[in-house]
Amino acid sequence: GPVVGGWYRVLDRLVPGNTKVTALKKMVVDQGGFAPCFLGCFLPLAGALSGLSVQDNWAKLQRDYTDALVTNYYIWPAVQLANFYFVPLHYRLAVVQCVAVIWNSYLSWKAHRP
């Protein structure tokens, strides 16, 4: 929550406004910058907390990262486009957290597969 909430405040400063074009720009920056970095941090952290060795964690990241990122792109661009266009800044995190229940379940499954 705090990381995403902070990201939305930064993103609102980087790409100010509330038009359809602005929402599209925010979605592109979010999905092109934040999403790949978030997954690149989440998957190895989950592996490390699960006790994987550095080598096993690296191999798992190489195996799972692309699939997780592609799956991300099936879900999040539409959610974020609607979120950035229709939802005021102070409610965006709540909208994302509702969708994130399903997304985080998927990531947890992905991170803990052998």
Side-chain angles (χ1 to χ4, degrees), residues 23-61:
L24 181 63
K25 288 178 184 177
K26 287 179 183 180
M27 184 274 295
V28 168
V29 172
D30 180 68
Q31 293 301 299
F34 184 79
C37 292
F38 176 80
L39 286 173
C41 292
F42 176 84
L43 292 172
L45 181 60
L49 292 173
S50 295
L52 292 180
S53 68
V54 172
Q55 293 82 9
D56 289 343
N57 207 0
W58 178 248
K60 188 163 178 42
L61 178 63

Side-chain angles (χ1 to χ4, degrees), residues 81-92:
L81 194 56
N83 198 24
F84 293 137
Y85 184 65
F86 294 112
V87 181
L89 176 62
H90 57 281
Y91 293 120
R92 288 182 190 153

Side-chain angles (χ1 to χ4, degrees):
V3 172
V4 176
W7 166 243
Y8 287 158
R9 287 188 295 279
V10 168
L11 186 58
D12 222 43
R13 283 189 218 116
L14 288 174
V15 186
N18 195 28
T19 66
K20 289 178 183 176
V21 171
T22 302
L24 181 63
K25 288 178 184 177
K26 287 179 183 180
M27 184 274 295
V28 168
V29 172
D30 180 68
Q31 293 301 299
F34 184 79
C37 292
F38 176 80
L39 286 173
C41 292
F42 176 84
L43 292 172
L45 181 60
L49 292 173
S50 295
L52 292 180
S53 68
V54 172
Q55 293 82 9
D56 289 343
N57 207 0
W58 178 248
K60 188 163 178 42
L61 178 63
Q62 288 179 312
R63 184 187 78 204
D64 292 346
Y65 179 80
T66 301
D67 184 51
L69 189 60
V70 168
T71 304
N72 170 85
Y73 291 142
Y74 283 122
I75 298 168
W76 286 107
V79 170
Q80 292 295 52
L81 194 56
N83 198 24
F84 293 137
Y85 184 65
F86 294 112
V87 181
L89 176 62
H90 57 281
Y91 293 120
R92 288 182 190 153
L93 184 59
V95 170
V96 165
Q97 292 305 320
C98 291
V99 177
V101 169
I102 296 164
W103 176 244
N104 291 339
S105 298
Y106 165 78
L107 283 181
S108 181
W109 169 78
K110 187 66 135 170
H112 293 94
R113 275 186 345 165

